[in-house]
Amino acid sequence: MLGLESSCDDTAAAIVRRAPDGSVTVLAERVVGQDAAHAPYGGVVPEIAARAHAERMDTLAAEVLAEAGLAPAELDAVAATAGPGLIGGVMAALMTAKGIALGAGIPLIAVNHLEGHALSPRLTHQLNFPYLLLLVSGGHTQLVIVEGVGAMTRLGSTIDDAAGEAFDKTAKIMGLGFPGGPAVERAARAARDPARFALPRMLAGKPGCDFSFAGLKTAARRAWEALDAPGDIDRADLAAAVQTAIAVHLAERTGRAMDQYADRLPDAPRTLVIAGGVAANQTVRAALADAAAARGFTWLAPPLKYCTDNAAMIALAGAERLALGWTDGLDAPARARWPLDEAAAARDPASGSGRKGPKA
Ligand code: KG4
Ligand code: ZN
């Protein structure tokens, strides 16, 4: 299975082979990031991202095919992320995949990017369904029960910013580089007094498993602007406070989700999977490890290269779908919004329903 990904700021292609027993071999993989192109703006600029994806996607596909020693017609199918994401970017992978499918006479599989993340631990672990997934990236923050391919139940998601955005936006306020998460983590190591800044505990005591980060960003901005000629120590202390506030919030809401999971599926294995770029953060990991241990859950995170955006997870989602006989037509649309659990999203649009339908 060839997988293509271009929904945010990484252009990626990969070829995986999935055996009937579920074991997976990654035959070739490439990921090309765009951090340098977006760094001057402190965030991802959709037009710059779309152009960069369009320039690279076909070359990357050709490279992984060459490395795997395969002609397009030797593939069983081609899978591409069809959403959710920045629409100009999503089209780069999807249209490339449609071209390959048409030219080589092989099926197309339109993959939900979130399903790719949800299945990503199965690239490296023999992990059976069901499990609880916390997806924490720059674009998404959600809790999902993964019961099978195409069978996902969302327990909660962010009502405003994603956790990665909270890192990126607060980093920008403090004049730290982009992407903000690693910069905040690095700065926080030099903190002298991590308890100096009192930041809000978002949704404290509120039932449910939704997240909110907008209040934290505002509080961090106020704290920063109130400082007189802030320097590196102020930056380190505030970075530590922000990082702790995000970790505590993630652990608190995920704790509620673990309780709900255990109530709904009392006999299921208690497994928490953490994926997305923010899962790289050691403070976040430690907080989630504590919350999991307190509830008898084991936790795992895919290796970092499969935690962040990649095409191997899209190829795997395609392979798992193909094994079930699910393919898509060449009219499959690119979708800016595409909730994993569309029925639940329509009932309870945590991220706003809007004219275009609920956000992811
Ligand atoms: O999954 P990802 O690579 O891309 C998507 O957003 O889909 O996640 C990128 C996000 C960025 O917001 C980045 O700041 C954050 O993950 N991130 C981190 C760390 N490394 C990356 N956040 C906190 N600590 C980190 N070490
Ligand atoms: Zn992603």
Side-chain angles (χ1 to χ4, degrees), residues 5 7-8 113-114 117 135 137-140 276-277 307-310 313:
E5 158 65 38
S7 63
C8 188
H113 179 81
L114 303 173
H117 278 299
L135 174 59
S137 72
H140 307 288
C307 245
T308 57
D309 285 349
N310 66 89
M313 71 183 188

Side-chain angles (χ1 to χ4, degrees), residues 15 42 54 60 69 75 90 95 97 108 135 179 218 238 251 329-330:
I15 297 181
L60 287 188
L75 297 165
V90 171
M95 296 310 291
L108 169 77
L135 174 59
T218 309
L238 187 54
L330 290 180

Side-chain angles (χ1 to χ4, degrees), residues 291-302:
R295 292 168 176 83
F297 273 65
T298 52
W299 71 278
L300 68 94

